[in-house]
Amino acid sequence: MNIENTHRYDDIIDMPHHQSKRHRRMAMGQRASQFMPFAALVGYEDLLRETAKVRQRQVELGEDAQEALNARLAAVLAHLGERPRVDMTFFHMDGEGAGGEYQCIEGGVVVKYHAETNALEMADGRVVPVVDIVRIELSEV
């Protein structure tokens, strides 16, 4: 294959680059975004993030542990008018799939017990179902 110099563009090769009088020059970021790949699979990244989440299963307490928990819960309810501070661990269901995670509240203030839903309302607005609590203790202030 032979490459020879044809001089076909010699008349325009040294001319200045055209600048439009009507349109501003596009910013580099905007120009680069034209060539970025688009999301062909909408929601795929969310699905990957959801799959990567570490979920735990809720453990069932033994009979003795459940009785001890009920006794501590009764002590908390007995002091409800005093807005008791508690240290608590409970299971929070994820809502997006099977499983969830254990959450802890240290020094949280219990403001109300909802008998109709069997749940404790905390001062920060959280409502914790009693069946999800695995540890509760009155904390010393």
Side-chain angles (χ1 to χ4, degrees), residues 14-29:
D14 293 322
M15 292 182 79
H17 182 73
H18 172 72
Q19 297 289 329
S20 174
K21 291 180 173 102
R22 229 185 266 174
H23 303 287
R24 289 186 298 131
R25 191 173 180 123
M26 188 181 288
M28 287 296 243

Side-chain angles (χ1 to χ4, degrees), residues 2 7 15 17-18 29 31 46-47 62 67 75 89-93 95 110-111 116 121 128 130-131 137 139:
N2 239 350
H7 302 283
M15 292 182 79
H17 182 73
H18 172 72
R31 185 165 168 75
D46 295 334
L47 181 64
E67 285 179 20
T89 303
F90 63 97
F91 186 78
H92 178 70
M93 192 64 133
V110 180
V111 293
E116 62 278 356
E121 182 177 337
V128 180
V130 170
V131 296
E137 296 170 10
S139 64

Side-chain angles (χ1 to χ4, degrees), residues 75-112:
V76 169
L77 294 177
H79 293 89
L80 197 57
E82 302 164 17
R83 295 175 60 107
R85 288 190 173 275
V86 296
D87 297 333
M88 177 186 334
T89 303
F90 63 97
F91 186 78
H92 178 70
M93 192 64 133
D94 195 347
E96 297 176 356
E101 65 180 354
Y102 282 95
Q103 295 182 354
C104 293
I105 297 176
E106 300 295 325
V109 178
V110 180
V111 293
K112 191 173 182 182

Side-chain angles (χ1 to χ4, degrees), residues 33-102:
S33 68
Q34 291 182 16
F35 302 103
M36 291 183 68
F38 65 97
L41 300 173
V42 176
Y44 183 68
E45 291 295 322
D46 295 334
L47 181 64
L48 285 178
R49 263 191 303 280
E50 183 63 29
T51 304
K53 275 186 184 176
V54 177
R55 290 194 172 89
Q56 299 172 330
R57 297 218 181 266
Q58 188 171 9
V59 296
E60 293 281 328
L61 294 177
E63 199 171 310
D64 293 339
Q66 188 65 48
E67 285 179 20
L69 180 65
N70 288 342
R72 287 192 299 273
L73 182 61
V76 169
L77 294 177
H79 293 89
L80 197 57
E82 302 164 17
R83 295 175 60 107
R85 288 190 173 275
V86 296
D87 297 333
M88 177 186 334
T89 303
F90 63 97
F91 186 78
H92 178 70
M93 192 64 133
D94 195 347
E96 297 176 356
E101 65 180 354
Y102 282 95

